Amino acid sequence: MTQHLIAANDFCVYHQVEHTFITSLQEAGLVEITIIDQTTYIPESELQKLEKMIRLHNELEINIAGIEAITHLLQRIEAMQEDMRGLKNQLRMYEIG
């Protein structure tokens, strides 16, 4: 059951971050964690996103609120880019027809 989960303690040791940082990100709704038998795990699908947030925090000294704002803006940009792709595809259909 834990084959696609990374123990949060192992992740924190490897990345040299406090466990409270992961908990704060989870409480802000920025990352999902799983708790099994009182042990906290991070799904593999969250690793890339979590590592990006750690870099923002460590390298740029951005706090949780800043990371939350940046994440929200990046999600909006991605959604707008997806909308633009859809509109371009529709436009191509009209140009061909």
Side-chain angles (χ1 to χ4, degrees):
M1 177 152 187
T2 60
Q3 67 188 43
H4 296 290
L5 300 172
I6 308 299
N9 287 338
D10 294 343
F11 181 88
C12 291
V13 168
Y14 180 80
H15 288 283
Q16 300 177 352
V17 295
E18 295 292 324
H19 194 278
T20 55
F21 180 72
I22 307 288
T23 304
S24 296
L25 291 173
Q26 186 266 334
E27 288 171 354
L30 297 172
V31 68
E32 293 180 28
I33 60 172
T34 302
I35 299 174
I36 301 172
D37 296 329
Q38 298 179 341
T39 302
T40 304
Y41 293 94
I42 302 165
E44 280 184 4
S45 59
E46 295 289 291
L47 291 180
Q48 185 177 12
K49 178 171 48 171
L50 184 53
E51 289 170 342
K52 184 186 297 184
M53 291 179 200
I54 289 170
R55 284 192 304 276
L56 288 171
H57 180 70
N58 290 342
E59 295 173 14
L60 301 176
E61 299 180 4
I62 297 174
N63 63 14
I64 301 293
I67 293 171
E68 192 171 1
I70 290 168
T71 300
H72 174 72
L73 290 172
L74 288 173
Q75 288 171 343
R76 293 209 34 207
I77 289 170
E78 288 175 21
M80 288 185 342
Q81 287 174 334
E82 186 63 35
D83 289 345
M84 282 181 23
R85 276 190 283 278
L87 291 170
K88 284 181 181 179
N89 288 338
Q90 287 179 351
L91 184 59
R92 284 189 192 110
M93 287 179 19
Y94 289 114
E95 289 174 346
I96 293 173

